[in-house]
Amino acid sequence: DLIPKRFVPVARELVVGGNLANFTASVSGVAKEWVVDPKRGRLRWVGTGASPQPLVSYHYGFSADIGGGGYDRSKSLKSPVTRVISGGGPIQTSAPGSLNFLPSGNINRAVPEILDSPNYTPIDSRDQITQLEFRAANRRRPYLRITHNWQLTSVPAGESELVLNGLWIGATGLFSVRLLGDFKSVTLRHMTLDPGGTDAFGNVIRPVPLIIRGNVEKLIIDKSIVGPIRVEGSGELTNLEITDSIVDGQNSTGPVISVPVGRVTMRRVTVFGEAEVEWLDASETLVTGFTNVINTQEGCFRYSAVLERKDPLNPSSAHSRVSHPYESYFLKDFPGTFTSRVFGQPGYAQLSESAPLFLHQGPENGSEIGAFSNLLNPIK
């Protein structure tokens, strides 16, 4: 429904490139209708009369259905909606249509759903969570910009369940998403937590870490792009399961995955940065930083790749420790491995054509190592 049924193609000779930093470009001496600024992704009508409508449609162009995006997520949207949110602006725990909806009657799960894709800010923290699924509607990608640490807290001593689905979360400063209380399970599916970097105008994108300060029995990250995942203070994380996802710590200090006590399972994951975990079972996983697994007697590191040493330029530096490596690779560095390491670019985290063949065809099924392994691109 975002794409008009009919298009009127624009002749190439009526288009010219230009600088639209201030949307003020003009053309003189030649007959043109459009000025296009490919660097900023902008275009301006300079023809005679009113501009045609609609000006532009778009196609979602990432390498896979990973992270928040306008693609089909209908298979993950099973629970009936209990509240709807739209229009952008603040999401307050005391306002109608907000997250502050407690189950009643025959409803045993609160499911507030955002119906559109504008910006939402500020976002209030949420406490007394029992069963909450906060999500975007199918083919929508709202942007939630937090202005403080976004704290999600369960009911006291409860086995609460939390699901976040289809949202893109950014921050105005050095803020994080924090899990407090006692959760039986927390699931992030088709989510983007800004990993940091710069936008098209050079402005800083703040990374949004996921911090566990409560007791989480199982944390599931599926088809998502996230920044650092860390257990802090008295927090406990028993099981961390990451599948078909990108974990990016390039713009943060310290390990991008830090789970001092607990089991970490990764399937088809690309990790930009270091990992410090107690127990690890990984398959088709690519880790570009130093990795230290405390308990190497259990678990496995199969059909995967990891940085060989903490300091690639220092042969005496610590060697990455993983559990029972099988058909895996220890690399001195990862130059030219990715089409792009920059969050927001279409080739982000995608293996480049110049990447070693064993990364393209390393797993048992002949597919690639990393977040896009399930696409089976080398086989296709």
Side-chain angles (χ1 to χ4, degrees):
D1 60 342
L2 296 176
I3 301 177
K5 294 183 179 180
R6 296 188 62 187
F7 291 94
V8 179
V10 179
R12 185 178 302 176
E13 59 269 18
L14 298 179
V15 179
V16 65
N19 185 339
L20 293 178
N22 299 311
F23 273 113
T24 57
S26 61
V27 179
S28 60
V30 291
K32 300 291 182 180
E33 293 185 349
W34 293 98
V35 176
V36 178
D37 186 339
K39 179 179 179 179
R40 297 175 177 84
R42 294 181 174 183
L43 70 162
R44 173 180 169 84
W45 169 259
V46 294
T48 57
S51 63
Q53 296 293 331
L55 287 179
V56 65
S57 66
Y58 74 90
H59 176 77
Y60 185 78
F62 192 48
S63 303
D65 294 347
I66 296 177
Y71 51 82
D72 185 9
R73 303 173 6 257
S74 57
K75 292 182 179 179
S76 68
L77 306 177
K78 302 299 183 183
S79 303
V81 177
T82 58
R83 282 289 176 100
V84 295
I85 304 170
S86 62
I91 298 180
Q92 300 172 325
T93 56
S94 59
S98 74
L99 302 184
N100 193 28
F101 177 73
L102 300 179
S104 61
N106 294 324
I107 299 173
N108 58 14
R109 189 179 188 90
V111 187
E113 181 175 274
I114 300 179
L115 301 181
D116 47 16
S117 300
N119 295 347
Y120 287 85
T121 191
I123 313 299
D124 281 0
S125 295
R126 176 70 166 90
D127 56 13
Q128 299 296 313
I129 294 173
T130 52
Q131 289 188 315
L132 173 64
E133 181 178 350
F134 183 29
R135 72 193 194 194
N138 192 35
R139 296 187 181 278
R140 297 295 182 265
R141 192 279 307 134
Y143 179 63
L144 278 60
R145 198 171 194 200
I146 59 176
T147 56
H148 55 274
N149 292 322
W150 193 37
Q151 300 192 154
L152 301 168
T153 309
S154 74
V155 294
E159 290 194 345
S160 301
E161 297 180 5
L162 170 66
V163 177
L164 302 176
N165 187 331
L167 310 172
W168 182 0
I169 300 177
T172 59
L174 297 175
F175 306 123
S176 61
V177 176
R178 297 186 176 184
L179 302 176
L180 298 95
D182 296 300
F183 285 97
K184 179 180 180 181
S185 67
V186 176
T187 301
L188 277 65
R189 181 165 285 125
H190 298 293
M191 289 286 295
T192 295
L193 271 61
D194 268 343
T198 57
D199 64 15
F201 306 102
N203 300 316
V204 174
I205 300 174
R206 300 291 187 183
V208 182
L210 178 62
I211 306 297
I212 296 89
R213 291 198 169 183
N215 187 349
V216 179
E217 184 175 336
K218 180 182 288 188
L219 172 59
I220 299 172
I221 297 176
D222 179 46
K223 296 184 182 299
S224 295
I225 300 171
V226 298
I229 305 168
R230 294 172 182 155
V231 180
E232 293 183 354
S234 60
E236 295 183 11
L237 176 57
T238 307
N239 293 282
L240 170 60
E241 299 179 4
I242 312 175
T243 55
D244 302 302
S245 295
I246 301 166
V247 185
D248 189 344
Q250 296 178 100
N251 297 284
S252 302
T253 58
V256 64
I257 301 178
S258 178
V259 184
V261 179
R263 302 166 76 92
V264 177
T265 303
M266 292 194 283
R267 298 289 184 268
R268 302 172 300 277
V269 180
T270 297
V271 179
F272 289 115
E274 299 185 1
E276 293 272 359
V277 302
E278 179 193 24
W279 185 98
L280 176 66
D281 188 276
S283 185
E284 293 87 38
T285 293
L286 180 57
V287 187
T288 68
F290 173 77
T291 299
N292 184 32
V293 179
I294 298 173
N295 179 5
T296 58
Q297 300 304 308
E298 301 180 77
C300 192
F301 192 76
R302 66 181 72 84
Y303 306 113
S304 298
V306 66
L307 185 69
E308 182 180 28
R309 295 189 178 276
K310 188 174 183 67
D311 182 357
L313 301 179
N314 182 6
S316 64
S317 64
H319 194 288
S320 284
R321 287 164 43 93
V322 295
S323 311
H324 299 128
Y326 175 77
E327 296 293 336
S328 292
Y329 305 91
F330 291 79
L331 279 68
K332 293 183 178 180
D333 205 348
F334 290 84
T337 300
F338 301 97
T339 303
S340 173
R341 291 175 178 246
V342 179
F343 170 67
Q345 293 190 354
Y348 171 62
Q350 182 187 60
L351 291 180
S352 67
E353 293 183 359
S354 61
L357 185 62
F358 57 78
L359 294 182
H360 280 285
Q361 301 179 5
E364 187 176 17
N365 64 357
S367 185
E368 64 188 271
I369 296 176
F372 306 114
S373 181
N374 253 357
L375 298 180
L376 305 178
N377 284 329
I379 298 174
K380 294 175 183 178

